[in-house]
PDB file of all heavy atoms in Angstrom:
ATOM      1  N   PRO A1014     -14.258 -20.773  16.481  1.00  0.00           N
ATOM      2  CA  PRO A1014     -13.838 -21.874  17.447  1.00  0.00           C
ATOM      3  C   PRO A1014     -12.820 -21.215  18.662  1.00  0.00           C
ATOM      4  O   PRO A1014     -12.889 -21.784  19.614  1.00  0.00           O
ATOM      5  CB  PRO A1014     -12.998 -22.753  16.484  1.00  0.00           C
ATOM      6  CG  PRO A1014     -13.568 -22.463  15.139  1.00  0.00           C
ATOM      7  CD  PRO A1014     -13.855 -21.013  15.109  1.00  0.00           C
ATOM      8  N   ARG A1015     -12.150 -20.208  18.209  1.00  0.00           N
ATOM      9  CA  ARG A1015     -11.233 -19.656  19.313  1.00  0.00           C
ATOM     10  C   ARG A1015     -12.176 -18.967  20.324  1.00  0.00           C
ATOM     11  O   ARG A1015     -11.887 -19.176  21.582  1.00  0.00           O
ATOM     12  CB  ARG A1015     -10.431 -18.483  18.639  1.00  0.00           C
ATOM     13  CG  ARG A1015      -9.352 -18.059  19.650  1.00  0.00           C
ATOM     14  CD  ARG A1015      -8.678 -16.779  19.056  1.00  0.00           C
ATOM     15  NE  ARG A1015      -9.502 -15.588  19.489  1.00  0.00           N
ATOM     16  CZ  ARG A1015      -9.484 -14.427  18.839  1.00  0.00           C
ATOM     17  NH1 ARG A1015      -8.631 -14.260  17.789  1.00  0.00           N
ATOM     18  NH2 ARG A1015     -10.209 -13.439  19.245  1.00  0.00           N
ATOM     19  N   ILE A1016     -13.216 -18.342  19.954  1.00  0.00           N
ATOM     20  CA  ILE A1016     -13.979 -17.623  20.942  1.00  0.00           C
ATOM     21  C   ILE A1016     -14.959 -18.659  21.689  1.00  0.00           C
ATOM     22  O   ILE A1016     -15.094 -18.533  22.974  1.00  0.00           O
ATOM     23  CB  ILE A1016     -14.858 -16.538  20.205  1.00  0.00           C
ATOM     24  CG1 ILE A1016     -13.818 -15.530  19.592  1.00  0.00           C
ATOM     25  CG2 ILE A1016     -15.829 -15.919  21.180  1.00  0.00           C
ATOM     26  CD1 ILE A1016     -14.562 -14.495  18.705  1.00  0.00           C
ATOM     27  N   LEU A1017     -15.543 -19.532  21.039  1.00  0.00           N
ATOM     28  CA  LEU A1017     -16.599 -20.332  21.552  1.00  0.00           C
ATOM     29  C   LEU A1017     -16.219 -21.763  21.759  1.00  0.00           C
ATOM     30  O   LEU A1017     -17.010 -22.532  22.399  1.00  0.00           O
ATOM     31  CB  LEU A1017     -17.857 -20.299  20.544  1.00  0.00           C
ATOM     32  CG  LEU A1017     -18.316 -18.883  20.295  1.00  0.00           C
ATOM     33  CD1 LEU A1017     -19.498 -18.930  19.213  1.00  0.00           C
ATOM     34  CD2 LEU A1017     -18.866 -18.213  21.550  1.00  0.00           C
ATOM     35  N   GLY A1018     -15.061 -22.225  21.231  1.00  0.00           N
ATOM     36  CA  GLY A1018     -14.600 -23.656  21.264  1.00  0.00           C
ATOM     37  C   GLY A1018     -14.797 -24.176  22.647  1.00  0.00           C
ATOM     38  O   GLY A1018     -15.472 -25.245  22.913  1.00  0.00           O
ATOM     39  N   ALA A1019     -14.007 -23.567  23.667  1.00  0.00           N
ATOM     40  CA  ALA A1019     -13.883 -24.277  24.998  1.00  0.00           C
ATOM     41  C   ALA A1019     -15.101 -24.188  25.659  1.00  0.00           C
ATOM     42  O   ALA A1019     -15.534 -25.186  26.450  1.00  0.00           O
ATOM     43  CB  ALA A1019     -12.792 -23.519  25.761  1.00  0.00           C
ATOM     44  N   THR A1020     -15.925 -23.167  25.671  1.00  0.00           N
ATOM     45  CA  THR A1020     -17.111 -23.079  26.375  1.00  0.00           C
ATOM     46  C   THR A1020     -18.271 -23.785  25.668  1.00  0.00           C
ATOM     47  O   THR A1020     -19.302 -24.122  26.310  1.00  0.00           O
ATOM     48  CB  THR A1020     -17.601 -21.662  26.583  1.00  0.00           C
ATOM     49  OG1 THR A1020     -17.658 -20.940  25.260  1.00  0.00           O
ATOM     50  CG2 THR A1020     -16.753 -20.879  27.483  1.00  0.00           C
ATOM     51  N   THR A1021     -18.085 -24.337  24.479  1.00  0.00           N
ATOM     52  CA  THR A1021     -19.051 -25.280  23.782  1.00  0.00           C
ATOM     53  C   THR A1021     -18.668 -26.668  24.116  1.00  0.00           C
ATOM     54  O   THR A1021     -19.487 -27.571  24.514  1.00  0.00           O
ATOM     55  CB  THR A1021     -19.143 -24.957  22.332  1.00  0.00           C
ATOM     56  OG1 THR A1021     -19.355 -23.626  22.081  1.00  0.00           O
ATOM     57  CG2 THR A1021     -20.297 -25.800  21.709  1.00  0.00           C
ATOM     58  N   ALA A1022     -17.374 -26.984  23.880  1.00  0.00           N
ATOM     59  CA  ALA A1022     -16.900 -28.444  24.157  1.00  0.00           C
ATOM     60  C   ALA A1022     -16.851 -28.903  25.535  1.00  0.00           C
ATOM     61  O   ALA A1022     -17.187 -29.965  25.844  1.00  0.00           O
ATOM     62  CB  ALA A1022     -15.482 -28.631  23.422  1.00  0.00           C
ATOM     63  N   GLY A1023     -16.481 -27.940  26.502  1.00  0.00           N
ATOM     64  CA  GLY A1023     -16.331 -28.322  27.895  1.00  0.00           C
ATOM     65  C   GLY A1023     -17.702 -28.955  28.438  1.00  0.00           C
ATOM     66  O   GLY A1023     -17.664 -30.058  28.939  1.00  0.00           O
ATOM     67  N   PRO A1024     -18.894 -28.183  28.283  1.00  0.00           N
ATOM     68  CA  PRO A1024     -20.134 -28.849  28.880  1.00  0.00           C
ATOM     69  C   PRO A1024     -20.514 -30.169  28.139  1.00  0.00           C
ATOM     70  O   PRO A1024     -21.385 -30.929  28.731  1.00  0.00           O
ATOM     71  CB  PRO A1024     -21.153 -27.731  28.514  1.00  0.00           C
ATOM     72  CG  PRO A1024     -20.367 -26.441  28.432  1.00  0.00           C
ATOM     73  CD  PRO A1024     -19.096 -26.929  27.899  1.00  0.00           C
ATOM     74  N   MET A1025     -19.889 -30.387  26.939  1.00  0.00           N
ATOM     75  CA  MET A1025     -20.192 -31.660  26.397  1.00  0.00           C
ATOM     76  C   MET A1025     -19.228 -32.844  26.785  1.00  0.00           C
ATOM     77  O   MET A1025     -19.392 -34.016  26.346  1.00  0.00           O
ATOM     78  CB  MET A1025     -20.070 -31.428  24.791  1.00  0.00           C
ATOM     79  CG  MET A1025     -21.208 -30.538  24.202  1.00  0.00           C
ATOM     80  SD  MET A1025     -20.990 -30.320  22.425  1.00  0.00           S
ATOM     81  CE  MET A1025     -21.692 -31.690  21.828  1.00  0.00           C
ATOM     82  N   GLY A1026     -18.275 -32.493  27.716  1.00  0.00           N
ATOM     83  CA  GLY A1026     -17.565 -33.531  28.214  1.00  0.00           C
ATOM     84  C   GLY A1026     -16.124 -33.543  27.811  1.00  0.00           C
ATOM     85  O   GLY A1026     -15.283 -34.369  28.148  1.00  0.00           O
ATOM     86  N   ALA A1027     -15.674 -32.692  26.719  1.00  0.00           N
ATOM     87  CA  ALA A1027     -14.356 -32.654  26.185  1.00  0.00           C
ATOM     88  C   ALA A1027     -13.376 -32.341  27.327  1.00  0.00           C
ATOM     89  O   ALA A1027     -13.794 -31.604  28.254  1.00  0.00           O
ATOM     90  CB  ALA A1027     -14.229 -31.670  25.115  1.00  0.00           C
ATOM     91  N   VAL A1028     -12.127 -32.705  27.182  1.00  0.00           N
ATOM     92  CA  VAL A1028     -11.061 -32.446  28.202  1.00  0.00           C
ATOM     93  C   VAL A1028     -10.226 -31.333  27.766  1.00  0.00           C
ATOM     94  O   VAL A1028      -9.468 -30.670  28.582  1.00  0.00           O
ATOM     95  CB  VAL A1028     -10.164 -33.721  28.444  1.00  0.00           C
ATOM     96  CG1 VAL A1028     -11.021 -34.789  29.059  1.00  0.00           C
ATOM     97  CG2 VAL A1028      -9.445 -34.125  27.276  1.00  0.00           C
ATOM     98  N   ALA A1029     -10.143 -30.913  26.566  1.00  0.00           N
ATOM     99  CA  ALA A1029      -9.402 -29.748  25.936  1.00  0.00           C
ATOM    100  C   ALA A1029      -9.912 -29.463  24.596  1.00  0.00           C
ATOM    101  O   ALA A1029     -10.536 -30.253  23.958  1.00  0.00           O
ATOM    102  CB  ALA A1029      -7.936 -30.159  26.037  1.00  0.00           C
ATOM    103  N   VAL A1030      -9.449 -28.223  24.215  1.00  0.00           N
ATOM    104  CA  VAL A1030      -9.754 -27.845  22.757  1.00  0.00           C
ATOM    105  C   VAL A1030      -8.421 -27.425  22.047  1.00  0.00           C
ATOM    106  O   VAL A1030      -7.526 -26.742  22.684  1.00  0.00           O
ATOM    107  CB  VAL A1030     -10.760 -26.621  22.822  1.00  0.00           C
ATOM    108  CG1 VAL A1030     -10.627 -25.849  21.613  1.00  0.00           C
ATOM    109  CG2 VAL A1030     -12.187 -27.150  23.043  1.00  0.00           C
ATOM    110  N   LEU A1031      -8.457 -27.852  20.823  1.00  0.00           N
ATOM    111  CA  LEU A1031      -7.305 -27.366  19.909  1.00  0.00           C
ATOM    112  C   LEU A1031      -7.995 -26.737  18.768  1.00  0.00           C
ATOM    113  O   LEU A1031      -8.955 -27.206  18.238  1.00  0.00           O
ATOM    114  CB  LEU A1031      -6.538 -28.488  19.452  1.00  0.00           C
ATOM    115  CG  LEU A1031      -5.500 -29.255  20.304  1.00  0.00           C
ATOM    116  CD1 LEU A1031      -4.879 -30.391  19.533  1.00  0.00           C
ATOM    117  CD2 LEU A1031      -4.458 -28.335  20.713  1.00  0.00           C
ATOM    118  N   ILE A1032      -7.317 -25.626  18.288  1.00  0.00           N
ATOM    119  CA  ILE A1032      -7.907 -24.990  17.071  1.00  0.00           C
ATOM    120  C   ILE A1032      -6.769 -24.864  16.118  1.00  0.00           C
ATOM    121  O   ILE A1032      -5.616 -24.697  16.503  1.00  0.00           O
ATOM    122  CB  ILE A1032      -8.659 -23.689  17.300  1.00  0.00           C
ATOM    123  CG1 ILE A1032      -7.630 -22.603  17.774  1.00  0.00           C
ATOM    124  CG2 ILE A1032      -9.826 -23.832  18.306  1.00  0.00           C
ATOM    125  CD1 ILE A1032      -8.255 -21.151  17.642  1.00  0.00           C
TER     126      ILE A1032
END
Side-chain angles (χ1 to χ4, degrees):
R1015 190 194 81 204
I1016 297 170
L1017 304 174
T1020 52
T1021 307
M1025 296 176 81
V1028 296
V1030 156
L1031 287 176
I1032 67 164

